[in-house]
Amino acid sequence: MRFCGKINPREHIEEVKNVLGYRNFQEYCVQYNLIDQSFFIEDLELYSKLNERDTFKIQENYLWPVISDKYDMAGIVNNYFIQDLWAASLIYEEKPEIHYDIGSRLDGFVAHILAMGIPVTMIDIRPFPAEISGLTMIVDDATSLRQFTDNSIESLSALCSLEHFGLGRYGDLIDPEACFRCFASIQRKVKRGGNLYIAVPVGKERLEFNAHRVFYAQTIKDCFHEMELIEYSCAVAGHLEKKALGSF
């Protein structure tokens, strides 16, 4: 029986290069922060040889080595990306005078809506990073939606936010019923004929404390029994699966 021991990455660098090959070795350099062994030095020397602009010559005091991006994809297309586009496109079709939101992604979904020229009022228990044109910000707990009168909201969204309520993750109070009380509040606040867009994790029902809850799809439908379900779609592995209402 033979065993492999843990090696010091710098002491056996040539062996590692031979085993991994060029591209995998670059990933190895990222993992162990081996900047001086990565492509960085080679690229630096080549750039210096080719550059003829004095103001853009390499200067040691301005070096900023980044070796983690060379083989990355151009961006990330995940379930959050898909859900943000899904909801934003539906809201664009409706074009409400003002849209309301509970805790969705500021740098994704909310940005999409603002770019459409639709004003957004957003409530989040966390402080906002900056003043943003077109965005009215309310820093508060949204469980009861006491900030709004009943039957007053034409268009409301909550994308991957409601499943966190009452778990303390974002500084809110521990309350096992918080998300369910918010479901009831939403039904009181959205006016007749208004639109609600929500996204939550769906699967075998469980709590993954303190990250989030996972719901049965039927649980969500039952909790919003005062409203009519128009569309049920799922973001799965970076693409959208539209499903018929008969799937319940």
Side-chain angles (χ1 to χ4, degrees):
M1 185 177 294
R2 302 179 66 184
F3 295 91
C4 294
K6 185 176 181 180
I7 66 171
N8 184 314
R10 290 189 175 276
E11 291 179 357
H12 301 272
I13 204 73
E14 293 304 320
E15 292 93 327
V16 172
K17 285 181 182 179
N18 291 334
V19 171
L20 295 181
Y22 182 81
R23 178 166 178 170
N24 288 335
F25 178 70
Q26 301 307 319
E27 297 296 331
Y28 181 85
C29 290
V30 171
Q31 182 177 352
Y32 290 100
N33 197 33
L34 301 176
I35 294 171
D36 59 324
Q37 298 292 337
S38 73
F39 67 88
F40 178 78
I41 300 300
E42 181 182 333
D43 285 0
L44 181 149
E45 292 174 349
L46 179 59
Y47 181 93
S48 296
K49 180 179 179 180
L50 298 176
N51 179 57
E52 297 180 354
R53 296 179 182 271
D54 188 62
T55 57
F56 288 100
K57 68 182 180 182
I58 291 176
Q59 301 179 64
E60 186 173 351
N61 58 318
Y62 287 121
L63 291 180
W64 191 332
V66 178
I67 63 172
S68 58
D69 297 342
K70 197 174 189 74
Y71 297 110
D72 275 358
M73 303 289 276
I76 298 174
V77 176
N78 55 19
N79 291 344
Y80 295 107
F81 179 90
I82 296 300
Q83 76 170 18
D84 289 353
L85 284 182
W86 165 77
S89 63
L90 293 175
I91 293 167
Y92 177 73
E93 292 177 5
E94 296 293 330
K95 294 182 175 61
E97 291 186 9
I98 184 170
H99 179 73
Y100 294 83
D101 180 79
I102 303 171
S104 302
R105 288 180 58 197
L106 187 62
D107 60 344
F109 170 71
V110 175
H112 296 338
I113 304 304
L114 291 174
M116 298 172 188
I118 299 173
V120 177
T121 293
M122 183 178 184
I123 180 170
D124 199 304
I125 199 166
R126 301 166 294 183
F128 291 84
E131 294 287 333
I132 302 170
S133 178
L135 178 64
T136 299
M137 297 165 280
I138 302 175
V139 180
D140 203 352
D141 189 321
T143 302
S144 68
L145 291 177
R146 59 185 175 80
Q147 304 83 0
F148 312 107
T149 58
D150 290 356
N151 194 38
S152 65
I153 296 178
E154 175 188 3
S155 182
L156 174 66
S157 59
L159 306 185
C160 281
S161 56
L162 301 177
E163 67 268 23
H164 304 297
F165 276 37
L167 303 184
R169 174 177 171 180
Y170 294 108
D172 50 327
L173 297 176
I174 298 296
D175 180 359
E177 290 298 307
C179 68
F180 301 102
R181 292 196 289 111
C182 189
F183 295 164
S185 299
I186 287 171
Q187 292 182 102
R188 291 198 309 272
K189 305 302 177 178
V190 174
K191 66 171 60 175
R192 186 176 182 84
N195 292 297
L196 169 66
Y197 313 86
I198 68 169
V200 296
V202 170
K204 181 180 179 181
E205 198 154 85
R206 61 193 183 273
L207 169 66
E208 297 180 349
F209 192 84
N210 66 352
H212 54 222
R213 301 172 182 85
V214 179
F215 301 91
Y216 288 133
Q218 188 64 49
T219 296
I220 298 301
K221 186 179 180 184
D222 291 345
C223 285
F224 288 94
H225 62 278
E226 297 176 17
M227 307 183 80
E228 178 188 0
L229 177 62
I230 297 175
E231 179 181 332
Y232 168 61
S233 298
C234 292
V236 181
H239 69 278
L240 184 68
E241 291 188 1
K242 289 199 171 186
K243 299 189 177 182
L245 299 183
S247 62
F248 283 92

mmCIF file of all heavy atoms in Angstrom, residues 124-152:
data_model
loop_
_atom_site.group_PDB
_atom_site.id
_atom_site.type_symbol
_atom_site.label_atom_id
_atom_site.label_comp_id
_atom_site.label_asym_id
_atom_site.label_seq_id
_atom_site.Cartn_x
_atom_site.Cartn_y
_atom_site.Cartn_z
ATOM 1 N N ASP A 124 -36.784 47.527 2.445
ATOM 2 C CA ASP A 124 -35.795 46.526 2.835
ATOM 3 C C ASP A 124 -35.345 46.835 4.249
ATOM 4 O O ASP A 124 -35.215 48.006 4.613
ATOM 5 C CB ASP A 124 -34.596 46.556 1.877
ATOM 6 C CG ASP A 124 -33.783 45.265 1.931
ATOM 7 O OD1 ASP A 124 -33.325 44.882 3.031
ATOM 8 O OD2 ASP A 124 -33.594 44.648 0.867
ATOM 9 N N ILE A 125 -35.102 45.801 5.034
ATOM 10 C CA ILE A 125 -34.671 46.017 6.412
ATOM 11 C C ILE A 125 -33.226 46.482 6.480
ATOM 12 O O ILE A 125 -32.779 47.044 7.472
ATOM 13 C CB ILE A 125 -34.861 44.730 7.244
ATOM 14 C CG1 ILE A 125 -34.862 45.062 8.733
ATOM 15 C CG2 ILE A 125 -33.814 43.679 6.893
ATOM 16 C CD1 ILE A 125 -35.371 43.937 9.607
ATOM 17 N N ARG A 126 -32.485 46.293 5.395
ATOM 18 C CA ARG A 126 -31.081 46.700 5.332
ATOM 19 C C ARG A 126 -30.966 48.133 4.824
ATOM 20 O O ARG A 126 -31.793 48.580 4.025
ATOM 21 C CB ARG A 126 -30.298 45.767 4.404
ATOM 22 C CG ARG A 126 -30.323 44.310 4.828
ATOM 23 C CD ARG A 126 -29.838 43.399 3.720
ATOM 24 N NE ARG A 126 -30.749 43.412 2.577
ATOM 25 C CZ ARG A 126 -30.590 42.649 1.496
ATOM 26 N NH1 ARG A 126 -29.560 41.833 1.422
ATOM 27 N NH2 ARG A 126 -31.475 42.712 0.509
ATOM 28 N N PRO A 127 -29.934 48.861 5.245
ATOM 29 C CA PRO A 127 -29.732 50.219 4.725
ATOM 30 C C PRO A 127 -29.343 50.182 3.254
ATOM 31 O O PRO A 127 -28.705 49.233 2.786
ATOM 32 C CB PRO A 127 -28.586 50.761 5.588
ATOM 33 C CG PRO A 127 -27.867 49.553 6.087
ATOM 34 C CD PRO A 127 -28.912 48.496 6.255
ATOM 35 N N PHE A 128 -29.727 51.206 2.528
ATOM 36 C CA PHE A 128 -29.395 51.314 1.116
ATOM 37 C C PHE A 128 -28.035 51.980 0.944
ATOM 38 O O PHE A 128 -27.675 52.861 1.720
ATOM 39 C CB PHE A 128 -30.473 52.101 0.374
ATOM 40 C CG PHE A 128 -31.780 51.368 0.267
ATOM 41 C CD1 PHE A 128 -32.703 51.409 1.304
ATOM 42 C CD2 PHE A 128 -32.084 50.621 -0.856
ATOM 43 C CE1 PHE A 128 -33.907 50.728 1.215
ATOM 44 C CE2 PHE A 128 -33.279 49.940 -0.959
ATOM 45 C CZ PHE A 128 -34.197 49.996 0.079
ATOM 46 N N PRO A 129 -27.270 51.588 -0.079
ATOM 47 C CA PRO A 129 -25.900 52.093 -0.207
ATOM 48 C C PRO A 129 -25.794 53.512 -0.731
ATOM 49 O O PRO A 129 -24.768 54.167 -0.523
ATOM 50 C CB PRO A 129 -25.257 51.107 -1.193
ATOM 51 C CG PRO A 129 -26.403 50.611 -2.022
ATOM 52 C CD PRO A 129 -27.566 50.546 -1.082
ATOM 53 N N ALA A 130 -26.835 54.008 -1.426
ATOM 54 C CA ALA A 130 -26.735 55.341 -2.032
ATOM 55 C C ALA A 130 -28.118 55.817 -2.453
ATOM 56 O O ALA A 130 -29.052 55.019 -2.590
ATOM 57 C CB ALA A 130 -25.801 55.306 -3.243
ATOM 58 N N GLU A 131 -28.236 57.128 -2.666
ATOM 59 C CA GLU A 131 -29.448 57.690 -3.257
ATOM 60 C C GLU A 131 -29.456 57.339 -4.736
ATOM 61 O O GLU A 131 -28.446 57.481 -5.433
ATOM 62 C CB GLU A 131 -29.466 59.210 -3.077
ATOM 63 C CG GLU A 131 -29.572 59.658 -1.623
ATOM 64 C CD GLU A 131 -30.956 59.429 -1.046
ATOM 65 O OE1 GLU A 131 -31.930 59.422 -1.836
ATOM 66 O OE2 GLU A 131 -31.071 59.235 0.179
ATOM 67 N N ILE A 132 -30.603 56.878 -5.248
ATOM 68 C CA ILE A 132 -30.699 56.441 -6.636
ATOM 69 C C ILE A 132 -31.907 57.121 -7.281
ATOM 70 O O ILE A 132 -33.015 57.073 -6.745
ATOM 71 C CB ILE A 132 -30.847 54.917 -6.719
ATOM 72 C CG1 ILE A 132 -29.648 54.226 -6.043
ATOM 73 C CG2 ILE A 132 -30.982 54.453 -8.174
ATOM 74 C CD1 ILE A 132 -29.819 52.741 -5.861
ATOM 75 N N SER A 133 -31.674 57.739 -8.411
ATOM 76 C CA SER A 133 -32.746 58.448 -9.105
ATOM 77 C C SER A 133 -33.871 57.489 -9.475
ATOM 78 O O SER A 133 -33.635 56.415 -10.043
ATOM 79 C CB SER A 133 -32.192 59.105 -10.373
ATOM 80 O OG SER A 133 -33.219 59.767 -11.089
ATOM 81 N N GLY A 134 -35.095 57.865 -9.165
ATOM 82 C CA GLY A 134 -36.263 57.053 -9.488
ATOM 83 C C GLY A 134 -36.626 56.038 -8.425
ATOM 84 O O GLY A 134 -37.665 55.391 -8.516
ATOM 85 N N LEU A 135 -35.768 55.901 -7.408
ATOM 86 C CA LEU A 135 -36.001 54.898 -6.372
ATOM 87 C C LEU A 135 -36.325 55.566 -5.041
ATOM 88 O O LEU A 135 -35.540 56.362 -4.526
ATOM 89 C CB LEU A 135 -34.767 54.003 -6.204
ATOM 90 C CG LEU A 135 -34.854 52.921 -5.109
ATOM 91 C CD1 LEU A 135 -35.950 51.908 -5.437
ATOM 92 C CD2 LEU A 135 -33.509 52.218 -4.947
ATOM 93 N N THR A 136 -37.488 55.239 -4.498
ATOM 94 C CA THR A 136 -37.857 55.663 -3.150
ATOM 95 C C THR A 136 -37.528 54.522 -2.205
ATOM 96 O O THR A 136 -37.993 53.391 -2.402
ATOM 97 C CB THR A 136 -39.355 55.998 -3.064
ATOM 98 O OG1 THR A 136 -39.637 57.079 -3.958
ATOM 99 C CG2 THR A 136 -39.729 56.412 -1.647
ATOM 100 N N MET A 137 -36.712 54.797 -1.203
ATOM 101 C CA MET A 137 -36.187 53.750 -0.329
ATOM 102 C C MET A 137 -36.809 53.832 1.055
ATOM 103 O O MET A 137 -36.837 54.903 1.661
ATOM 104 C CB MET A 137 -34.666 53.874 -0.245
ATOM 105 C CG MET A 137 -33.974 53.664 -1.581
ATOM 106 S SD MET A 137 -32.248 54.227 -1.618
ATOM 107 C CE MET A 137 -32.478 55.993 -1.856
ATOM 108 N N ILE A 138 -37.308 52.728 1.541
ATOM 109 C CA ILE A 138 -37.868 52.637 2.883
ATOM 110 C C ILE A 138 -37.099 51.572 3.647
ATOM 111 O O ILE A 138 -37.132 50.391 3.285
ATOM 112 C CB ILE A 138 -39.365 52.273 2.846
ATOM 113 C CG1 ILE A 138 -40.157 53.305 2.035
ATOM 114 C CG2 ILE A 138 -39.921 52.150 4.262
ATOM 115 C CD1 ILE A 138 -41.625 52.942 1.846
ATOM 116 N N VAL A 139 -36.384 51.980 4.676
ATOM 117 C CA VAL A 139 -35.639 51.026 5.501
ATOM 118 C C VAL A 139 -36.526 50.632 6.672
ATOM 119 O O VAL A 139 -36.730 51.412 7.607
ATOM 120 C CB VAL A 139 -34.311 51.632 5.999
ATOM 121 C CG1 VAL A 139 -33.555 50.618 6.864
ATOM 122 C CG2 VAL A 139 -33.452 52.064 4.826
ATOM 123 N N ASP A 140 -37.068 49.428 6.623
ATOM 124 C CA ASP A 140 -38.007 48.991 7.661
ATOM 125 C C ASP A 140 -38.293 47.502 7.473
ATOM 126 O O ASP A 140 -37.993 46.919 6.433
ATOM 127 C CB ASP A 140 -39.302 49.800 7.562
ATOM 128 C CG ASP A 140 -40.068 49.829 8.879
ATOM 129 O OD1 ASP A 140 -39.685 49.104 9.823
ATOM 130 O OD2 ASP A 140 -41.060 50.585 8.961
ATOM 131 N N ASP A 141 -38.901 46.914 8.472
ATOM 132 C CA ASP A 141 -39.382 45.548 8.391
ATOM 133 C C ASP A 141 -40.644 45.532 7.526
ATOM 134 O O ASP A 141 -41.553 46.331 7.735
ATOM 135 C CB ASP A 141 -39.687 45.027 9.798
ATOM 136 C CG ASP A 141 -39.997 43.540 9.824
ATOM 137 O OD1 ASP A 141 -40.675 43.055 8.904
ATOM 138 O OD2 ASP A 141 -39.553 42.867 10.769
ATOM 139 N N ALA A 142 -40.690 44.622 6.563
ATOM 140 C CA ALA A 142 -41.821 44.584 5.631
ATOM 141 C C ALA A 142 -42.863 43.532 5.991
ATOM 142 O O ALA A 142 -43.793 43.314 5.221
ATOM 143 C CB ALA A 142 -41.308 44.330 4.212
ATOM 144 N N THR A 143 -42.740 42.895 7.142
ATOM 145 C CA THR A 143 -43.633 41.783 7.463
ATOM 146 C C THR A 143 -45.099 42.181 7.429
ATOM 147 O O THR A 143 -45.934 41.507 6.826
ATOM 148 C CB THR A 143 -43.297 41.209 8.857
ATOM 149 O OG1 THR A 143 -41.933 40.788 8.868
ATOM 150 C CG2 THR A 143 -44.187 40.018 9.164
ATOM 151 N N SER A 144 -45.432 43.297 8.055
ATOM 152 C CA SER A 144 -46.835 43.726 8.104
ATOM 153 C C SER A 144 -47.193 44.686 6.978
ATOM 154 O O SER A 144 -48.371 44.959 6.750
ATOM 155 C CB SER A 144 -47.127 44.400 9.446
ATOM 156 O OG SER A 144 -46.436 45.635 9.533
ATOM 157 N N LEU A 145 -46.185 45.209 6.294
ATOM 158 C CA LEU A 145 -46.393 46.231 5.252
ATOM 159 C C LEU A 145 -47.252 47.384 5.767
ATOM 160 O O LEU A 145 -48.089 47.935 5.057
ATOM 161 C CB LEU A 145 -47.019 45.598 4.005
ATOM 162 C CG LEU A 145 -46.110 44.634 3.227
ATOM 163 C CD1 LEU A 145 -46.870 44.011 2.055
ATOM 164 C CD2 LEU A 145 -44.852 45.329 2.729
ATOM 165 N N ARG A 146 -47.010 47.751 7.025
ATOM 166 C CA ARG A 146 -47.757 48.841 7.647
ATOM 167 C C ARG A 146 -47.475 50.182 6.976
ATOM 168 O O ARG A 146 -48.190 51.165 7.203
ATOM 169 C CB ARG A 146 -47.407 48.930 9.135
ATOM 170 C CG ARG A 146 -45.928 49.167 9.415
ATOM 171 C CD ARG A 146 -45.607 49.131 10.890
ATOM 172 N NE ARG A 146 -44.183 49.250 11.160
ATOM 173 C CZ ARG A 146 -43.522 50.397 11.162
ATOM 174 N NH1 ARG A 146 -44.163 51.524 10.924
ATOM 175 N NH2 ARG A 146 -42.227 50.431 11.404
ATOM 176 N N GLN A 147 -46.464 50.227 6.148
ATOM 177 C CA GLN A 147 -46.098 51.464 5.458
ATOM 178 C C GLN A 147 -47.096 51.830 4.352
ATOM 179 O O GLN A 147 -47.076 52.946 3.847
ATOM 180 C CB GLN A 147 -44.694 51.318 4.844
ATOM 181 C CG GLN A 147 -43.609 50.931 5.839
ATOM 182 C CD GLN A 147 -43.546 49.429 6.090
ATOM 183 O OE1 GLN A 147 -44.310 48.654 5.521
ATOM 184 N NE2 GLN A 147 -42.627 49.005 6.951
ATOM 185 N N PHE A 148 -47.972 50.885 3.994
ATOM 186 C CA PHE A 148 -48.898 51.098 2.889
ATOM 187 C C PHE A 148 -50.332 50.815 3.331
ATOM 188 O O PHE A 148 -50.574 49.963 4.180
ATOM 189 C CB PHE A 148 -48.537 50.179 1.709
ATOM 190 C CG PHE A 148 -47.077 50.208 1.356
ATOM 191 C CD1 PHE A 148 -46.256 49.119 1.659
ATOM 192 C CD2 PHE A 148 -46.514 51.307 0.740
ATOM 193 C CE1 PHE A 148 -44.907 49.142 1.342
ATOM 194 C CE2 PHE A 148 -45.160 51.338 0.425
ATOM 195 C CZ PHE A 148 -44.350 50.260 0.725
ATOM 196 N N THR A 149 -51.258 51.525 2.737
ATOM 197 C CA THR A 149 -52.663 51.309 3.058
ATOM 198 C C THR A 149 -53.184 50.075 2.325
ATOM 199 O O THR A 149 -52.630 49.658 1.303
ATOM 200 C CB THR A 149 -53.518 52.532 2.658
ATOM 201 O OG1 THR A 149 -53.355 52.776 1.248
ATOM 202 C CG2 THR A 149 -53.090 53.755 3.435
ATOM 203 N N ASP A 150 -54.237 49.485 2.861
ATOM 204 C CA ASP A 150 -54.819 48.300 2.235
ATOM 205 C C ASP A 150 -55.368 48.638 0.852
ATOM 206 O O ASP A 150 -55.831 49.756 0.591
ATOM 207 C CB ASP A 150 -55.946 47.751 3.107
ATOM 208 C CG ASP A 150 -55.436 47.128 4.404
ATOM 209 O OD1 ASP A 150 -54.198 47.054 4.579
ATOM 210 O OD2 ASP A 150 -56.275 46.715 5.232
ATOM 211 N N ASN A 151 -55.310 47.654 -0.044
ATOM 212 C CA ASN A 151 -55.886 47.773 -1.385
ATOM 213 C C ASN A 151 -55.324 48.986 -2.142
ATOM 214 O O ASN A 151 -56.060 49.707 -2.819
ATOM 215 C CB ASN A 151 -57.416 47.873 -1.294
ATOM 216 C CG ASN A 151 -58.091 47.646 -2.635
ATOM 217 O OD1 ASN A 151 -57.657 46.811 -3.430
ATOM 218 N ND2 ASN A 151 -59.153 48.399 -2.898
ATOM 219 N N SER A 152 -54.012 49.197 -2.036
ATOM 220 C CA SER A 152 -53.425 50.409 -2.625
ATOM 221 C C SER A 152 -52.338 50.153 -3.650
ATOM 222 O O SER A 152 -51.970 51.068 -4.396
ATOM 223 C CB SER A 152 -52.832 51.281 -1.506
ATOM 224 O OG SER A 152 -51.735 50.628 -0.878
#
